[in-house]
Amino acid sequence: MRLSLLTRERFFAAALLSPGMLLVVIFAFYPILYSFYLSLHRIILGLPGLGQPFVGLRNYADLLHDRIALHALANTLLFVFSSTLLEVMFGLCIALVMNRHFRGRGFLRASILVPWAIPTVVSSQMWRFIFHDKYGLLNFILFGSDISRYQAWLADPSIAFTAIVTADVWKTSSFAALLILAGLQTIPDDLYEAARIDGASAWQRFRKITLPLVRPALLIALLFRTMDAFRVFDLVFVMTQGGPADSTNVLQFYGYKKIFAEGLMGYGSTISVLVFLVTFVTAIVYLRLLGKGMFGKPA
Amino acid sequence: MKRMLFFSAAFLIVWLSLLPFLWFLATSLKTEVEITAIPPVLLPSATLHFYRTSIEQYDLLHYAKNSVIVAGSTTCITLSVSLFAGYALARLRLRAKGPILACLLMVSMFPQISIAGPVWRILQSLGWLNSYQGLILPYVTLTLPLGVWITASFFRELPAELEDAARVDGCGHLQTLFRVMLPLAAPGIFTAAILIFIYAWNEFLFALLIMTQQDYQTLPVGIALFQGQYTLPWGEIAAASTIATVPLVILVFFFQKRIIRGLSAGAIKG
């Protein structure tokens, strides 16, 4: 009797889960496998007459010799590394400020959520306008009304990349801050009290109490930000279109261009697979670092 | 001295967060001449000129309508699907709980480009490119992890005695879920709704790929693709951006606590 009750519960649970899992299978897992399948073929959207011949690993061999692709890979990794590092650093600072009790804390919290909530396309247009060569705010702040010194920031390969990182850090530091804040709030006040009585300075308290105890939250923030940074697309599409001279071309954007702008469904799919593998490996490394604590214990 | 330092830090954070957007908001209220003026005009003459032109020449309301339809439907569908899944994962005994959660986590993490081509082909073969359902279904899939994660974390906090009591009173599984658990998890459902809506409202890449005809494009696609004849129509872009952002800013100021709770539920609990 008890066994049948358990079985019924399992059936019920499976029924509740099935719509969601069905969607995930159709629109997420099957497409990933399908991407891999496509990457083994030559498919050109504009030329359906060619069919889709199987070409084995030819696309992957081409990818290894595609200098723009390798450049985009390097750009992606550099973008992920620099933006997440800055975001977690700023996030920690913001979280430390938010963790205090003071009047107007609600306003502060709502304010930092604004950049997070703004559509990325909007924040990209906004930063593009700030970096504008003629009437951008940045030029005015740096050079005043001296138009002769105004720079076309986004046309400068060495600066465009920094501009993209800046826009991303502005938009997402607050998300990192919230995750870190959740970690800060689990640290009991007694610890600080005890340290203060023992005569520990503010810096010592930060080093010896805050930092070690907030470490798991920092890692989680890093994980989430890293995975999200790999998805950078809107910023590049709106602000630079990957230019100038491919200095802001990232894999997501390059893949998009190959598949949808040039119609190279087969070759573009190798880029999709590459992006997937790179993020997958990164995620595994992080999850190892975090240990098993990520997945919920049974309720 | 210490307090001064603290308050100036808080002040700096608030200004850095708000200033860039306020600048764009001011831009949307300027005249053509004020936008290109050097030194820049700090206080705009508060004309609604660009709002009118963006509606009349760029069909802004049309994009807004599409955004409302797509983000609204995504929110409703994702919520109902993830309610069931979240309840099952949080409260019921089932095998493979770990793998299912891992799958969902994966979906929430891999970059869109790794599925974009195939999703486009699937939709093309269904004839669903340039259709609302063609964009809504991928959105539901992509927001599902978020929805399940948050609802599950709220369901998990409800006391088990409630369920037991309902069963003793003769409620079946479905009845227990709908009559007892759902009303209690309402705050969690609402939190999930806000986050899902924001995601669907802001998404760009899939909207760009799937909606190639202007008739179906959402606000982010419109804002990214606004083109003038010779120069970029900054006034119209700023006006459209403001329209796309204001609903979100209102959500943030009203529901900041819920949003923060929801965001950290996704990461810390689980």
Side-chain angles (χ1 to χ4, degrees):
Chain A
M1 191 60 202
R2 281 191 66 181
L3 189 77
S4 90
L5 212 74
L6 180 63
T7 320
R8 266 167 60 192
E9 189 170 320
R10 286 201 173 127
F11 267 113
F12 182 58
L16 289 183
L17 279 165
S18 52
M21 293 320 282
L22 195 69
L23 275 171
V24 165
V25 168
I26 297 176
F27 285 105
F29 286 104
Y30 169 65
I32 287 179
L33 296 176
Y34 195 16
S35 264
F36 184 66
Y37 168 87
L38 291 172
S39 74
L40 302 175
H41 294 75
R42 192 174 70 217
I43 304 163
I44 300 168
L45 286 178
L47 303 167
L50 289 182
Q52 30 183 309
F54 178 78
V55 293
L57 294 174
R58 181 101 50 83
N59 285 330
Y60 288 89
D62 290 345
L63 187 67
L64 287 176
H65 295 105
D66 183 344
R67 289 180 59 186
I68 301 178
L70 297 178
H71 189 52
L73 175 65
N75 279 342
T76 307
L77 295 176
L78 186 63
F79 177 84
V80 170
F81 179 77
S82 47
S83 64
T84 43
L85 200 67
L86 288 169
E87 281 152 18
V88 170
M89 269 167 48
F90 282 121
L92 180 60
C93 297
I94 299 172
L96 286 170
V97 171
M98 287 205 300
N99 198 27
R100 298 264 202 116
H101 293 274
F102 58 95
R103 275 175 57 185
R105 192 164 74 143
F107 184 74
L108 173 71
R109 278 197 305 217
S111 310
I112 68 146
L113 279 177
V114 168
W116 167 82
I118 286 182
T120 314
V121 166
V122 168
S123 72
S124 310
Q125 290 284 25
M126 197 181 81
W127 281 99
R128 188 178 174 207
F129 189 57
I130 290 173
F131 285 112
H132 197 273
D133 56 342
K134 291 203 197 75
Y135 13 90
L137 203 54
L138 182 66
N139 270 325
F140 180 74
I141 290 172
L142 291 178
F143 307 122
S145 301
D146 185 1
I147 305 172
S148 61
R149 296 173 66 194
Y150 278 19
Q151 305 271 330
W153 304 106
L154 295 178
D156 183 330
S158 60
I159 292 174
F161 188 81
T162 317
I164 304 261
V165 173
T166 308
D168 195 63
V169 170
W170 176 79
K171 181 157 169 46
T172 52
S173 291
S174 50
F175 178 73
L178 294 179
L179 299 190
I180 296 168
L181 179 65
L184 281 179
Q185 284 168 341
T186 60
I187 304 176
D189 285 338
D190 319 6
L191 278 178
Y192 292 105
E193 210 49 56
R196 209 170 286 141
I197 291 168
D198 289 346
S201 68
W203 173 245
Q204 281 174 319
R205 272 174 283 154
F206 177 73
R207 275 297 311 274
K208 303 283 179 188
I209 301 175
T210 313
L211 220 46
L213 288 177
V214 86
R215 214 181 81 99
L218 281 179
L219 270 175
I220 288 176
L222 259 183
L223 165 72
F224 274 76
R225 283 308 317 143
T226 304
M227 293 299 119
D228 195 48
F230 273 114
R231 284 188 274 203
V232 59
F233 177 82
D234 311 12
L235 278 171
V236 172
F237 184 95
V238 172
M239 286 176 74
T240 60
Q241 286 280 320
D246 286 312
S247 63
T248 58
N249 203 348
V250 287
L251 283 178
Q252 272 242 115
F253 185 75
Y254 190 56
Y256 155 80
K257 260 176 82 170
K258 283 291 161 194
I259 299 178
F260 293 100
E262 297 176 27
L264 302 175
M265 188 62 93
Y267 183 62
S269 294
T270 38
I271 300 164
S272 305
V273 173
L274 175 69
V275 174
F276 177 73
L277 290 178
V278 171
T279 47
F280 192 71
V281 170
T282 315
I284 298 285
V285 170
Y286 266 109
L287 292 179
R288 276 278 151 79
L289 277 176
L290 275 163
K292 294 235 165 194
M294 275 299 282
F295 296 116
K297 295 131 212 118
Chain B
M1 172 59 198
K2 242 180 157 178
R3 277 181 69 83
M4 277 286 287
L5 202 73
F6 171 74
F7 273 105
S8 40
F11 186 76
L12 191 72
I13 293 172
V14 169
W15 269 112
L16 284 178
S17 305
L18 296 183
L19 205 61
F21 180 67
L22 288 177
W23 179 244
F24 220 33
L25 175 71
T27 304
S28 76
L29 295 168
K30 288 177 178 176
T31 62
E32 197 86 55
V33 178
E34 284 173 328
I35 285 186
T36 53
I38 296 165
V41 179
L42 283 183
L43 283 177
S45 53
T47 161
L48 293 177
H49 168 76
F50 286 122
Y51 287 85
R52 207 172 52 234
T53 53
S54 60
I55 287 170
E56 282 167 6
Q57 290 169 27
Y58 292 87
D59 219 359
L60 179 63
L61 295 183
H62 191 74
Y63 294 108
K65 186 192 88 186
N66 290 337
S67 271
V68 169
I69 292 174
V70 170
S73 327
T74 302
T75 309
C76 295
I77 300 173
T78 305
L79 267 188
S80 27
V81 176
S82 49
L83 266 178
F84 293 133
Y87 177 72
L89 287 169
R91 307 298 299 201
L92 298 177
R93 287 169 290 183
L94 78 148
R95 296 203 185 104
K97 206 173 268 192
I100 292 176
L101 283 169
C103 282
L104 286 173
L105 190 72
M106 238 176 89
V107 172
S108 72
M109 283 184 171
F110 57 66
Q112 298 94 325
I113 196 68
S114 51
I115 57 169
V119 166
W120 187 85
R121 290 202 114 190
I122 295 170
L123 294 173
Q124 189 198 31
S125 62
L126 291 170
W128 282 1
L129 294 174
N130 292 304
S131 76
Y132 291 125
Q133 70 270 29
L135 191 54
I136 291 167
L137 281 178
Y139 277 9
V140 170
T141 311
L142 293 173
T143 51
L144 201 62
L146 190 68
V148 173
W149 221 261
I150 295 172
T151 47
S153 92
F154 274 82
F155 276 128
R156 212 167 278 149
E157 280 173 16
L158 301 178
E161 290 81 25
L162 282 171
E163 266 171 317
D164 297 340
R167 296 234 171 98
V168 171
D169 287 348
C171 283
H173 278 301
L174 260 181
Q175 265 185 321
T176 313
L177 170 57
F178 278 104
R179 294 243 179 105
V180 182
M181 303 304 272
L182 262 192
L184 290 169
I189 297 163
F190 186 61
T191 305
I194 299 173
L195 295 184
I196 294 164
F197 181 83
I198 293 180
Y199 180 96
W201 183 264
N202 292 358
E203 206 283 337
F204 173 63
L205 177 52
F206 277 101
L208 176 75
L209 301 177
I210 295 168
M211 306 306 211
T212 50
Q213 289 166 12
Q214 211 181 333
D215 288 351
Y216 289 98
Q217 284 170 350
T218 54
L219 275 171
V221 181
I223 292 168
L225 300 181
F226 268 14
Q227 283 292 335
Q229 206 168 3
Y230 303 108
T231 55
L232 277 170
W234 281 111
E236 281 86 356
I237 290 175
S241 296
T242 307
I243 303 251
T245 307
V246 162
L248 305 180
V249 171
I250 293 173
L251 277 180
V252 160
F253 270 85
F254 272 100
F255 302 115
Q256 37 136 330
K257 279 200 182 137
R258 285 193 185 289
I259 293 174
I260 291 174
R261 165 99 212 267
L263 287 177
S264 31
I268 306 296
K269 304 225 174 71

